[in-house]
């Protein structure tokens, strides 16, 4: 657990331009002083991240956010912040020149802002007294960390200090919402806050602007959040099993599975074994999608560490959080030939 002393030490690291592994309710971030150009450069270096990809700037609340943006905000931005901050929502707004380092926004005239709910993240922002630029604390393109030890595995010595706030409750990144010139919102990245929840405030489902290699939000690059073991995505367990049966006949091939089901589904597990999957992880469906989302990246990491030659994923029902889960599974998988 994190003590006040840990926070004070981390705040000191941040103020002197260093990097801190920071727990949030979504995923762990690699945090630095957003106003400190050299510190931001260190984040890109540690992540091996292309410099065209801007970072999310973390603030305590709307007041702190307002100081980094050019007023006035679109009316829908205000309503969303009021409803969902602190929480897993990132708003892309016109930035105030000079308020954060240019590198943090990759030279764009907008800034991505989020007020996290995690008490450790909030304590660190308050103690450092500056907005914190923090991308997910993984190497570029790799799986986002949902535990402190994942941050160490991903970044090693590149991060001076990791605050251990335990497992992240959401386990998926924040939902990113941007606005057009008329103030009309669009989802730039699906995430922990569902489009249904956004619709509850906006009065209608927002447009979801998806993917491509020149994305509106670079987290939308086609292959991202990916394990090193090649993974393929299937619509149904039967389809995955058909392919697994064939592949597992080959010498030196071993196949793992990530699929919806019951966590302690012994019938499912024995079906997995007889289809040739040597390891399987089941994501709970229905009302348990929150638990599935929270465990998704850790499951991918565990399967990736199991020394298999092939991974297969099966999509979950495409509604609510299932949409963001499927989005991450799709981006973690090889393109369909
Ligand atoms: O949950 C989260 O959002 C986590 C935690 C640590 O807060 N952070 C995170 O950051 O996922 P990162 O850097 O891995 O993803 C930031 C996303 C990227 O898709 C990036 O392209 C987008 O936000 N983004 C940042 N600034 C933007 C901007 N000005 N316009 C459009 N998209 C932007
Ligand atoms: Mg990321």
């Amino acid at each position: 657990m994190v003590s006040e002393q840990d926070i004070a030490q981390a705040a000191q690291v941040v103020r002197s331009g260093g990097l801190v592994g920071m727990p949030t309710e979504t995923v762990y971030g690699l945090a630095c002083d957003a106003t400190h150009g050299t510190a931001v450069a260190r984040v890109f270096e540690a992540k091996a991240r292309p410099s065209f990809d801007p970072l999310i700037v973390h603030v305590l609340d709307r007041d702190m956010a307002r100081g980094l943006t050019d007023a006035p905000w679109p009316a829908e931005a205000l309503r969303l912040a009021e409803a969902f901050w602190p929480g897993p929502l990132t708003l892309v707004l016109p930035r105030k020149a000079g308020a954060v380092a240019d590198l943090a926004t990759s030279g764009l005239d907008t800034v991505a802002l989020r007020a996290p709910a995690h008490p450790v993240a909030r304590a660190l922002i308050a103690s450092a007294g500056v907005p914190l630029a923090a991308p997910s604390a993984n190497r570029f393109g790799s799986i986002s960390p949902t535990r402190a030890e994942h941050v160490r595995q991903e970044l090693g010595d590149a991060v001076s200090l990791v605050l251990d706030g335990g497992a992240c409750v959401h386990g998926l990144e924040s939902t990113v919402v941007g606005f057009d010139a008329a103030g009309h919102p669009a989802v730039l990245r699906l995430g922990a806050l569902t489009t249904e929840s956004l619709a509850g405030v906006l009065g209608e489902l927002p447009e979801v602007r998806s993917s491509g290699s020149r994305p509106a939000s670079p987290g939308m690059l086609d292959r991202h959040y990916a394990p090193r073991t090649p993974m393929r995505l299937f619509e149904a367990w039967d389809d995955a099993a058909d392919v697994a049966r064939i592949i597992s006949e080959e010498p030196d091939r071993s196949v793992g599975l990530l699929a919806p089901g019951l966590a302690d589904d012994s019938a499912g597990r024995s079906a997995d074994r007889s289809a040739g999957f040597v390891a399987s992880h089941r994501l709970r469906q229905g009302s348990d999608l929150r638990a599935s989302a929270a465990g998704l990246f850790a499951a991918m990491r565990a399967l990736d560490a199991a020394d298999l030659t092939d991974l297969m994923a099966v999509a979950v029902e495409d509604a609510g959080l299932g949409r963001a889960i499927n989005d991450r599974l799709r981006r973690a998988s090889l393109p369909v030939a």
Side-chain angles (χ1 to χ4, degrees), residues 20-63:
V20 171
M22 170 178 80
T24 83
E25 71 279 23
T26 57
V27 300
Y28 274 75
L30 180 62
C32 76
D33 177 354
T35 68
H36 193 306
T38 314
V40 176
R42 286 191 188 112
V43 168
F44 282 103
E45 192 181 20
K47 279 187 65 96
R49 182 172 199 165
S51 53
F52 59 72
D53 202 355
L55 309 181
I56 292 176
V57 176
H58 296 70
V59 294
L60 278 178
D61 51 28
R62 271 175 286 158
D63 280 346

Side-chain angles (χ1 to χ4, degrees), residues 26 49 53-54 56 58 110 112 114 135-136 173-174 189 217-219:
T26 57
R49 182 172 199 165
D53 202 355
I56 292 176
H58 296 70
T110 51
R114 178 163 106 79
S136 52
E173 297 83 352
S174 62
R189 177 178 74 179
S217 184

Side-chain angles (χ1 to χ4, degrees), residues 12-313:
Q12 186 50 44
V13 169
V14 165
R15 279 193 299 266
S16 57
L19 313 186
V20 171
M22 170 178 80
T24 83
E25 71 279 23
T26 57
V27 300
Y28 274 75
L30 180 62
C32 76
D33 177 354
T35 68
H36 193 306
T38 314
V40 176
R42 286 191 188 112
V43 168
F44 282 103
E45 192 181 20
K47 279 187 65 96
R49 182 172 199 165
S51 53
F52 59 72
D53 202 355
L55 309 181
I56 292 176
V57 176
H58 296 70
V59 294
L60 278 178
D61 51 28
R62 271 175 286 158
D63 280 346
M64 192 168 175
R66 227 174 259 122
L68 309 179
T69 55
D70 259 341
W73 291 14
E76 305 287 41
L78 269 177
R79 295 175 61 207
L80 291 174
E82 206 168 303
F84 299 115
W85 277 5
L89 170 70
T90 294
L91 297 173
V92 176
L93 294 163
R95 78 177 185 127
K96 182 181 278 177
V100 299
D102 283 342
L103 197 53
T105 58
S106 300
L108 297 176
D109 53 11
T110 51
V111 59
L113 294 165
R114 178 163 106 79
H118 197 294
V120 172
R122 299 187 65 75
L124 182 57
I125 300 167
S127 178
V130 289
L132 299 182
S136 52
N138 51 282
R139 292 181 68 81
F140 182 73
S142 161
I143 305 167
S144 297
T146 54
R147 292 177 178 276
E149 59 265 30
H150 299 164
V151 180
R152 291 250 173 253
Q153 284 161 19
E154 284 282 328
L155 301 175
D157 293 339
V159 48
S160 357
L161 193 149
V162 181
L163 294 170
D164 188 347
C168 302
V169 287
H170 292 296
L172 285 177
E173 297 83 352
S174 62
T175 301
V176 179
V177 176
F179 302 87
D180 66 14
H184 195 70
V187 173
L188 307 183
R189 177 178 74 179
L190 291 164
L193 185 67
T194 63
T195 48
E196 288 86 346
S197 301
L198 292 170
V201 169
L202 299 172
E204 58 179 357
L205 278 172
E207 176 197 346
V208 177
R209 257 194 249 147
S210 202
S211 118
S213 44
R214 300 194 57 200
S217 184
M220 301 303 280
L221 279 172
D222 273 344
R223 192 156 151 79
H224 209 112
Y225 315 101
R228 287 182 307 273
T229 318
M231 184 159 100
R232 271 174 288 182
L233 180 62
F234 296 84
E235 286 306 314
W237 184 91
D238 286 344
D239 302 336
D242 285 345
V243 178
R245 280 192 195 94
I246 298 166
I247 290 182
S248 57
E249 293 293 308
E250 291 177 31
D252 305 325
R253 295 283 284 276
S254 51
V255 192
L257 175 73
L258 183 60
L262 303 168
D264 53 355
D265 181 354
S266 53
R269 197 152 298 164
S270 61
D272 294 346
R273 293 294 177 275
S274 52
F277 296 111
V278 297
S280 60
H281 185 97
R282 293 302 194 121
L283 296 168
R284 278 169 284 183
Q285 287 268 40
S287 57
D288 267 346
L289 272 183
R290 276 169 183 277
S292 289
L296 177 71
F297 289 146
M300 272 197 228
R301 249 169 221 286
L303 286 168
D304 206 16
D307 221 14
L308 306 167
T309 59
D310 299 82
L311 294 180
M312 294 188 180

